[in-house]
């Protein structure tokens, strides 16, 4: 989608996937802060390796909880750091 779609930069792709019913997580500022705090990534993920690490973390959380990615994403975003 990113390669052939127009104006699908940033969060447009994940929001579109959610709109059409695809279960996906969102890398909001709050989610990225938790991912950094948990040591999954060192900064907001942008490289293939960082995005793969994020996907693996969400896969593990999904296996452990049985919840869809959209719910996990919301829970992670609401996590209080500090």
């Amino acid at each position: 989608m990113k390669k052939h779609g127009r104006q699908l930069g940033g969060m447009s792709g994940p929001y579109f996937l959610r709109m059409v019913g695809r279960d996906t997580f969102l890398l909001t500022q709050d989610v990225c802060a938790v991912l950094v705090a948990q040591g999954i990534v060192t900064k907001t993920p942008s490289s293939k390796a960082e995005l793969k690490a994020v996907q693996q973390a969400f896969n593990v959380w999904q296996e452990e909880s049985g919840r869809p990615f959209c719910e996990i994403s919301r829970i992670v975003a609401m996590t209080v750091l500090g």
Side-chain angles (χ1 to χ4, degrees):
M1 251 179 32
K2 198 174 196 179
K3 186 175 181 181
H4 298 292
R6 289 181 181 221
Q7 298 178 348
L8 286 178
M11 296 296 289
S12 298
Y15 281 121
F16 172 77
L17 291 172
R18 276 212 182 162
M19 186 178 69
V20 297
R22 176 84 175 174
D23 182 32
T24 185
F25 54 84
L26 298 176
L27 292 177
T28 63
Q29 196 172 22
D30 292 329
V31 171
C32 291
V34 172
L35 293 170
V36 170
Q38 292 295 313
I40 296 165
V41 291
T42 58
K43 60 180 180 56
T44 299
S46 58
S47 71
K48 283 185 180 183
E50 292 166 335
L51 293 171
K52 185 176 181 178
V54 170
Q55 181 68 59
Q56 289 174 341
F58 272 89
N59 289 344
V60 168
W61 292 334
Q62 186 179 45
E63 278 184 35
E64 291 175 350
S65 69
R67 295 182 179 273
F69 289 134
C70 60
E71 288 181 14
I72 297 168
S73 180
R74 174 72 56 108
I75 292 166
V76 170
M78 293 182 188
T79 301
V80 177
L81 300 175

